[in-house]
Amino acid sequence: MDVLTALAILAAGLGGGLVVTAIGAGSLVTFPVLLAVGLPPVVANVSNTIGLVPGNITGTWGYRHELVGQRGLVIGVAATTAVGAAAGAALLLSLPSEAFSRLAPWLILLAATLVGAQPAISGVLRRRARRRGDAPRGTSTRLPAPLAWVSAAIGVYGGYFGAGQGVMLVAFLALGLEQRLQTINALKNVAVLAANVVAALIFVWIAPVDWAAVGLLAIGSVVGGWLGALIGRRLPGPVFRVLVVLFGYVVALRLLLDAA
């Protein structure tokens, strides 16, 4: 691995850690970079999942104050997403690598679209919050059964690919829970951390891993996750979001053209 490649992966880890904490689609930044430097799709996906775990940890820690008094919900989203992620990781490793290669561009398009749609979703949720006074009256201390199934299903997607799972979680948790949006974002970070840790443990033992890429992503994502918590708690600017969405579409279209 030459110096420029190493710097590109390190920068991708920084950006991925920032995006996954602030928005929930860090793999939109990291996965395409790993493909661009020559890693096969499955190896890139596996290495990406493992490398982003440190950033997930720092991002979740940055939101710890929003989780005070939410023990039941924290356990609920972490457990259900982790179970789903184990199934998703097994799916990735059991299916032919060609299947993932064909799906990857469409998964990136889906994740980019979700990131772009998040402001509209958040707007609806804020209006809903204002109508109820944004007061957590009658809030459940446990994850309702329908949301538990949704969380597990999103965990399957997270274990298989991951990009955009945080955006999905924010949308469904905010619609199903009487909680402030910052608390929802904190719960999202817990769920993404749980999914990535479980998938990473499976990948470490039985999947092909590029450890040099993992190490560089991990170093970058630690700083990125911390920065993402700072930015996310102050709401990221629209320019930041637009760049992430455009990057995702460009990468997905490039992969589709290469496969044509």
Side-chain angles (χ1 to χ4, degrees):
M1 184 181 296
D2 59 38
V3 175
L4 288 179
T5 298
L7 289 175
I9 297 175
L10 185 65
L14 176 66
L18 194 156
V19 175
V20 75
T21 303
I23 298 176
S27 293
L28 268 182
V29 177
T30 52
F31 179 70
V33 171
L34 295 180
L35 290 180
V37 300
L39 270 64
V42 172
V43 176
N45 192 35
V46 166
S47 303
N48 176 68
T49 297
I50 300 171
L52 284 180
V53 168
N56 297 144
I57 294 172
T58 55
T60 301
W61 178 255
Y63 270 90
R64 65 192 182 281
H65 298 300
E66 280 73 23
L67 295 173
V68 173
Q70 306 296 339
R71 179 184 176 86
L73 289 175
V74 168
I75 294 173
V77 297
T80 53
T81 307
V83 170
L91 192 63
L92 175 69
L93 298 176
S94 61
L95 291 176
S97 60
E98 292 79 10
F100 180 77
S101 298
R102 289 194 296 269
L103 278 174
W106 301 105
L107 294 174
I108 293 172
L109 280 174
L110 172 63
T113 301
L114 287 170
V115 172
Q118 190 185 33
I121 296 171
S122 296
V124 171
L125 298 175
R126 287 192 187 95
R127 289 192 292 274
R128 180 170 175 260
R130 283 197 294 269
R131 285 198 297 272
R132 67 170 187 258
D134 202 21
R137 292 180 289 105
T139 58
S140 174
T141 57
R142 295 184 179 181
L143 195 68
L147 275 183
W149 286 105
V150 170
S151 178
I154 294 173
V156 174
Y157 172 80
Y160 185 79
F161 182 54
Q165 66 171 316
V167 180
M168 298 180 197
L169 282 162
V170 167
F172 283 104
L173 291 177
L175 287 171
L177 296 174
E178 296 288 320
Q179 294 286 347
R180 297 179 185 275
L181 288 176
Q182 291 295 355
T183 301
I184 295 297
N185 205 32
L187 289 169
K188 173 265 292 181
N189 286 329
V190 170
V192 172
L193 172 61
N196 280 358
V197 166
V198 168
L201 289 173
I202 294 172
F203 293 154
V204 164
W205 286 104
I206 58 177
V209 180
D210 187 309
W211 288 107
V214 167
L216 291 167
L217 283 178
I219 293 170
S221 70
V222 166
V223 179
W226 176 74
L227 290 174
L230 293 179
I231 293 173
R233 296 179 74 190
R234 292 164 176 79
L235 298 180
V239 173
F240 176 69
R241 185 182 307 277
V242 167
L243 289 174
V244 172
V245 173
L246 287 177
F247 186 73
Y249 277 120
V250 168
V251 169
L253 292 174
R254 175 62 185 273
L255 290 176
L256 287 171
L257 289 173
D258 289 344

